[in-house]
Amino acid sequence: MLSKRLDIISPSCTIGISTKVKNMRQSGIDVISLSIGEPDFNVPRKAIDCGINSLNENCTKYDLVPGLTILREEICKKLLEENNCKYSIDEIVLASGAKDAITNALLAVTDPGDEVLIPKPYWVSYWEMTKLVNAVPVAIETNKKNDFKLTADLLEKYINPKTKLLLLNNPSNPTGSVYTKEELREIVDVCIEKNIYILADEIYERICYNDEFISIASLGDDVKDITITVNGFAKSAAMTGLRLGYTASNKEIAKGMSAIQGHLVSHPSLTAQYIGYGALKYCKDDIDNMVETYKHRRDLVTTKLDAMKYVNYVYPNGAFYVFIDLSQVAKKYKYNESFSVEFCDEFLSKYNVAIVPGQAFGIDEYVRISYACSEEEFIEGLNRLEKFILEIMDTNN
């Protein structure tokens, strides 16, 4: 008999869709994928060269569990210069991707039965990760009128003696919403008063179209002490398959996460770490150019959506997604259990375009598209989405 743990988790929706797309393509079907959040850029050349050089120098033996010293030093430099957060290298722990970093953080600070507050809509894996470590995920119902951003007043309503941690994603996947300094200040004041940790998932912080991104840990030493910042290289440096993320936290938490990681994976791939080092040290211009491209794409996508009937959306100020409101379509669409799942399945079947159902993020009347792909792909994908929506609305009028 297998573990009962398997009965309480669901497979990743986005990975499931990505796998289906790959299988369709292998069968010779021409599919447009606006689903998975994977940059269509290549890893910057100078970063790759650092990885190649490390292999040529036979840097393939065990190293320090929390990560290469030179990489942790470079991360500390980055956090200070870009995020106004001062850390020492013993407060940085590298992990095999941001997912691994989040799991290590949850393992380090939660006990079975502790509650983790997760604002909706949420990235698909937060809910399952929390259950996997035997903590209890609690969804916070946010409001579309506020771009689904958490507020201090709302947060207070969900806190009880079992609450251990708030998981906050900024910029947000799936909405692209970005918090202001004032909004974050009000939230962290509640967390300090109620003595709960903040897990700040800032994996998209470089892909921010506002004037300035505010890292939660930069709001003061008292905030920094209760905050575990998660970041990585998949989104900013297109290193999705290399699996490299990291945390920045106080020394006690970092020591705990390092102890856990020492038993689970030892340390992330050294080659990936050297490539990550190169990305931070030599590739800022490459990353800036990627962000400018994403911003241009964002403008094209939102212009197209503005001209479409029966849709609304959250205007994205960061990341590379648009969370599209199809509540008008849902009223006309005939479905059995989940509008967004059945809508997305039929759309993929009829029009060969993959998008992600909102149910995966906790809100069923929405879908998420990614514009981390070519302009030609997402414009054609949106054209087909418009046709599908009009087909539904015309048929049911």
Side-chain angles (χ1 to χ4, degrees):
M1 182 179 293
L2 297 179
S3 168
K4 292 180 180 178
R5 184 177 289 109
L6 296 176
D7 296 333
I8 65 170
I9 63 167
S10 303
S12 169
C13 178
T14 50
I15 291 178
I17 293 170
S18 176
T19 301
K20 190 172 184 178
V21 168
K22 288 176 183 176
N23 290 337
M24 291 174 71
R25 286 173 173 168
Q26 287 176 358
S27 300
I29 302 171
D30 185 15
V31 183
I32 293 173
S33 180
L34 306 182
S35 57
I36 199 164
E38 182 167 47
D40 60 327
F41 296 98
N42 293 321
V43 178
R45 184 70 242 178
K46 290 180 181 178
I48 291 175
D49 288 342
C50 286
I52 293 172
N53 291 339
S54 74
L55 291 172
N56 288 336
E57 294 171 8
N58 295 312
C59 299
T60 56
K61 304 299 182 183
Y62 289 130
D63 208 283
L64 299 175
V65 169
L68 290 168
T69 299
I70 58 168
L71 176 53
R72 286 184 289 148
E73 288 174 342
E74 202 63 33
I75 289 170
C76 289
K77 182 179 177 182
K78 179 261 186 232
L79 290 169
L80 182 61
E81 293 179 355
E82 295 184 10
N83 304 101
N84 195 29
C85 299
K86 186 175 182 180
Y87 285 96
S88 56
I89 65 167
D90 55 354
E91 296 173 313
I92 308 298
V93 180
L94 274 298
S96 298
K99 282 184 177 180
D100 187 35
I102 293 169
T103 306
N104 287 343
L106 290 171
L107 285 169
V109 302
T110 66
D111 289 312
D114 284 343
E115 292 186 355
V116 175
L117 301 182
I118 307 174
K120 288 172 62 176
Y122 45 73
W123 176 53
V124 296
S125 291
Y126 292 152
W127 199 261
E128 308 305 324
M129 288 172 167
T130 302
K131 291 189 292 183
L132 277 172
V133 303
N134 293 322
V136 180
V138 176
I140 298 179
E141 299 285 344
T142 56
N143 196 315
K144 179 191 173 184
K145 294 179 181 178
N146 190 42
D147 291 340
F148 293 113
K149 289 194 280 187
L150 179 65
T151 65
D153 290 342
L154 186 56
L155 173 60
E156 286 198 84
K157 294 178 182 178
Y158 284 82
I159 294 175
N160 64 58
K162 293 183 178 180
T163 305
K164 191 66 173 289
L165 180 143
L166 167 67
L167 211 167
L168 197 64
N169 183 204
N170 181 39
S172 166
N173 172 11
T175 66
S177 297
V178 179
Y179 287 83
T180 66
K181 185 175 184 178
E182 292 72 23
E183 290 168 338
L184 291 174
R185 183 72 256 180
E186 292 177 359
I187 290 169
V188 300
D189 284 347
V190 173
C191 293
I192 291 170
E193 179 188 349
K194 301 296 184 179
N195 194 32
I196 63 174
Y197 288 109
I198 302 169
L199 200 164
D201 182 354
E202 298 180 354
I203 189 71
Y204 294 98
E205 55 101 6
R206 286 292 277 111
I207 309 170
C208 182
Y209 314 125
N210 290 347
D211 292 337
E212 181 183 18
F213 171 80
I214 303 298
S215 186
I216 289 177
S218 70
L219 296 177
D221 289 340
D222 52 350
V223 183
K224 178 185 167 189
D225 191 54
I226 63 168
T227 299
I228 305 167
T229 300
V230 173
N231 210 323
F233 300 82
K235 310 304 180 180
S236 61
M239 289 173 53
T240 51
L242 291 169
R243 311 310 305 135
L244 188 64
Y246 63 86
T247 54
S249 63
N250 70 43
K251 293 180 182 179
E252 181 183 17
I253 296 173
K255 184 178 179 181
M257 288 188 289
S258 186
I260 290 167
Q261 179 161 280
H263 290 292
L264 294 180
V265 298
S266 292
H267 57 69
S269 158
L270 287 188
T271 307
Q273 290 191 63
Y274 279 108
I275 295 172
Y277 169 77
L280 283 181
K281 191 169 183 67
Y282 304 115
C283 302
K284 186 176 184 303
D285 288 345
D286 298 88
I287 295 171
D288 288 342
N289 290 335
M290 290 184 203
V291 175
E292 282 302 310
T293 300
Y294 290 137
K295 185 176 182 180
H296 174 69
R297 292 175 180 176
R298 185 275 311 265
D299 293 343
L300 290 175
V301 170
T302 54
T303 298
K304 176 65 178 176
L305 289 171
D306 286 339
M308 289 172 59
K309 295 173 65 176
Y310 309 117
V311 304
N312 206 329
Y313 63 93
V314 180
Y315 188 80
N317 285 306
F320 37 59
Y321 309 105
V322 185
F323 203 45
I324 302 175
D325 180 356
L326 295 181
S327 54
Q328 292 183 63
V329 182
K331 293 175 183 177
K332 299 284 187 179
Y333 189 78
K334 295 178 181 178
Y335 61 95
N336 295 315
E337 296 180 7
S338 166
F339 160 71
S340 62
V341 170
E342 293 169 42
F343 176 93
C344 291
D345 283 347
E346 186 177 359
F347 185 41
L348 178 57
S349 176
K350 282 188 173 181
Y351 286 87
N352 293 343
V353 180
I355 59 179
V356 184
Q359 187 188 65
F361 309 101
I363 301 181
D364 194 37
E365 293 182 341
Y366 282 71
V367 297
R368 189 199 75 177
I369 66 167
S370 167
Y371 50 89
C373 56
S374 71
E375 180 180 328
E376 179 183 343
E377 279 189 297
F378 66 71
I379 292 298
E380 177 59 25
L382 287 173
N383 286 337
R384 296 183 195 181
L385 178 63
E386 183 175 26
K387 289 178 183 178
F388 185 43
I389 290 171
L390 291 175
E391 174 189 316
I392 293 167
M393 301 305 283
D394 290 344
T395 300
N396 292 282
N397 278 340

